[in-house]
Amino acid sequence: MTHRRDVVLDVDERPNTGQWFGLSLQHMFSMFGSTVLVPILVGLNPGIALFSSGVGTLMYLLITRHKIPAYMGSSFSFVVPMMALMKSTGYPGIAQGTIAVGCVYLIVSLIVSQIGSAWIDKVLPPIIVGPIVIVIGLSLASTAAKDATINAATGHYDLRFFAVAMLTMVITIIFNMYCKGFLGLIPILMGIVAGYIVACLFGIVDFTPVMHAHWFSLPHFQVPFVNYHPHLYWGAILSMAPIAFVTMTEHLGHIMVLNELTERDFFKDPGLNRTLAGDGTASIIAGFVGGPPVTSYGENIGVLAITKVHSVYVVGGAAIFAVFFSFVGKLSALIETIPSPVIGGISFLLFGVIASSGLRVLIEHKIDFNVKRNLMISSVILVIGIGNAYLQLGKYQFSGLAVAAILGVILNLILPEKARSEEH
C-alpha cells in the first residue's frame, strides 16, 4: 500500500531501532495510567495488569495478522462486579469471570464469521448501550467519593484527603484542557504523578514498601492449580459475561475510527471475526495469569491520531515495554503506594467521563425520550444498575449491572415500537 504523506509511519511500516525505542516507550506511557488504575481500584497487582496488557496486545496483533494497530488495556467496564467479587470470592471468581468474557468474544467471533455482524446492532442498540455505559460510570461514584474523603487508617473523614483529591482532580483537568501534543494525551498519568507529589507534601504517602521491594521481581501471578485451587463460581461468570456485549460495541466503535484514521477496512481485512477473537483471547490470557479483563483502548486511537504513527511495530513495542516494566518490583510497589485520595481525585473525572460517554451515545443517535419504549428501557437499566439491585439465587449472585444489561436486552426485544397511547 502506498505510504500516505501525512503519516509518519503507516500501519505496516517498520521504524528504525532508535525510532522504535522512543515511539514504543511513548505509546506505552500513554496507556500506563488507565491500565494500572483498574487493578488499584479492584485490589489486584499492578504488575500483573501490565503483564497481561502487554501479552494480550501481542496476542491480539498475532491473531489479527499484524494488520491492526490496537492496544489492549485493563477495562473499566468490569470494575463494579470485580470489586464485589473481590470481597466474596477473591481473585478466583474474577478469573473465571474474565475467562468467561473472553469466551463470549470467541463465540461471537465464530458467529460473525458465519452470519455477519448485523445482529449485534439489533440486540444492542444505542438505547441499551448508552444507559449501560452511564451505569458503569455512575455506579462507581460512591467509591470515588469514599477514596477522596475517608482515611482508611482511622475510618473517619480526613480534610487532608479531600484537599489532595480536589488538587489532583484540578491538575488533571488542567493537563486535559491546556496541554497540547503528547502531554494532552496522558492527563490521567500526569494527574496521578502530580497528585502523588501533592500527597507527599501532605505527608500521607508511605514509602516503606518501595524501599523493601526488589528492583527485579516476578509479578504476583494468580495461576489456577498453581497459586490456588479453583472452584466453579457461576455467579461470577454470569455477573461479568453479559457486560462483554457492552465492551464489544466499544470495540466495534474503535475499529470504525481506526478504519477512518488509517484509510483501511479492518472489518474486511483481517476481518471482524479476527479482531473479536484477538480481544477475547487477550482477556482469557489475563484470567489465567491474574489480570483483569482487557479491551481495545480509546487512548490508543488518540495517540495514533496526534503522532501520525500508525505502525503495528510501535504498538507491539509498547506491549513489550509493558511486559518489561511488569517485572520491575519497585515500580509495582510504587504504584501500590499511591494513596486513596489521589485515586479518588482521578476517579471523579474518569468515572464521570465514562458516564458522559453513555450520554454521548444517546445524543449522537438522537434517542427520543418522548417515545415511551425508550423511556421504559433506559429507566429500568439506570435505576437497577446504579442502585445495584443484584439477583441472589442460592449461593449465586448476579450484579446489578448484569441484571440491568439482561433486562435491557429482553425489553428491547419484546416491547413494541409504540405504546398503545402513542398509536394514531
Side-chain angles (χ1 to χ4, degrees):
M1 182 174 285
T2 305
H3 175 55
R4 291 162 53 197
R5 291 183 180 180
D6 65 327
V7 171
V8 176
L9 285 170
D10 215 342
V11 174
D12 48 11
E13 283 193 303
R14 189 192 301 265
N16 61 45
T17 304
Q19 284 181 314
W20 178 86
F21 189 91
L23 292 173
S24 297
L25 199 58
Q26 174 181 275
H27 205 95
M28 190 277 294
F29 277 119
S30 69
M31 313 296 154
F32 189 90
S34 298
T35 297
V36 300
L37 189 55
V38 171
I40 292 173
L41 289 168
V42 177
L44 302 180
N45 179 254
I48 287 292
L50 285 173
F51 180 86
S52 56
S53 170
V55 173
T57 299
L58 293 173
M59 183 57 67
Y60 179 87
L61 294 175
L62 179 65
I63 292 173
T64 57
R65 298 174 177 172
H66 299 92
K67 292 184 177 181
I68 305 180
Y71 189 92
M72 301 290 114
S74 306
S75 175
F76 283 91
S77 298
F78 301 92
V79 169
V80 175
M82 283 196 294
M83 290 174 70
L85 289 171
M86 202 65 178
K87 296 176 182 178
S88 57
T89 67
Y91 184 75
I94 294 176
Q96 291 181 31
T98 300
I99 293 168
V101 166
C103 290
V104 169
Y105 268 82
L106 293 183
I107 292 169
V108 173
S109 168
L110 183 62
I111 296 172
V112 167
S113 67
Q114 299 297 317
I115 64 174
S117 61
W119 62 275
I120 297 177
D121 294 328
K122 293 180 180 179
V123 175
L124 289 169
I127 187 56
I128 293 178
V129 174
I132 288 176
V133 175
I134 293 173
V135 167
I136 290 170
L138 294 186
S139 58
L140 292 165
S142 61
T143 300
K146 183 179 179 181
D147 285 340
T149 56
I150 304 300
N151 186 334
T154 63
H156 299 296
Y157 181 91
D158 193 320
L159 186 59
R160 294 178 306 160
F161 275 45
F162 187 70
V164 170
M166 290 297 105
L167 287 170
T168 300
M169 182 186 71
V170 169
I171 292 170
T172 308
I173 291 174
I174 291 172
F175 275 113
N176 206 358
M177 295 297 295
Y178 297 103
C179 289
K180 295 181 178 180
F182 181 66
L183 285 179
L185 290 171
I186 55 171
I188 294 175
L189 177 60
M190 297 308 298
I192 290 174
V193 172
Y196 194 92
I197 294 172
V198 171
C200 290
L201 296 176
F202 276 76
I204 56 176
V205 179
D206 181 11
F207 290 104
T208 305
V210 182
M211 297 172 65
H212 290 166
H214 297 288
W215 278 104
F216 174 84
S217 66
L218 290 174
H220 297 161
F221 291 112
Q222 293 286 324
V223 182
F225 300 106
V226 176
N227 301 100
Y228 64 91
H229 186 76
H231 299 280
L232 190 58
Y233 296 109
W234 279 109
I237 293 170
L238 295 174
S239 286
M240 293 181 65
I243 306 171
F245 289 101
V246 179
T247 58
M248 210 173 290
T249 61
E250 294 177 0
H251 178 90
L252 295 175
H254 291 161
I255 298 298
M256 289 178 188
V257 177
L258 284 173
N259 284 344
E260 295 177 9
L261 194 64
T262 61
E263 295 185 1
R264 303 192 180 200
D265 188 350
F266 296 126
F267 288 131
K268 291 183 178 179
D269 184 20
L272 179 58
N273 59 317
R274 283 187 172 272
T275 74
L276 291 171
D279 203 324
T281 302
S283 281
I284 291 173
I285 291 172
F288 275 111
V289 298
V294 298
T295 189
S296 56
Y297 257 24
E299 290 91 334
N300 174 66
I301 297 172
V303 175
L304 297 180
I306 198 167
T307 63
K308 306 296 183 183
V309 175
H310 303 165
S311 173
V312 293
Y313 295 99
V314 171
V315 175
I320 291 172
F321 277 117
V323 173
F324 170 77
F325 281 116
S326 72
F327 288 90
V328 180
K330 285 193 178 293
L331 177 61
S332 293
L334 183 67
I335 294 170
E336 290 179 330
T337 62
I338 297 174
S340 65
V342 174
I343 302 303
I346 293 291
S347 298
F348 283 146
L349 278 178
L350 193 60
F351 299 158
V353 167
I354 293 172
S356 298
S357 297
L359 289 174
R360 185 176 62 191
V361 170
L362 297 173
I363 293 169
E364 287 180 350
H365 290 87
K366 300 179 180 179
I367 300 300
D368 185 359
F369 283 99
N370 286 319
V371 177
K372 289 186 177 180
R373 181 181 190 276
N374 293 338
L375 194 60
M376 295 300 101
I377 294 172
S378 62
S379 299
V380 167
I381 293 174
L382 288 172
V383 177
I384 289 178
I386 295 174
N388 190 28
Y390 62 88
L391 174 64
Q392 184 84 41
L393 296 175
K395 61 181 179 179
Y396 304 128
Q397 184 181 109
F398 304 83
S399 68
L401 181 56
V403 172
I406 294 169
L407 284 176
V409 171
I410 293 172
L411 288 174
N412 176 63
L413 293 175
I414 66 174
L415 289 181
E417 289 298 319
K418 290 184 177 181
R420 290 284 179 86
S421 60
E422 294 172 323
E423 294 176 352
H424 298 293

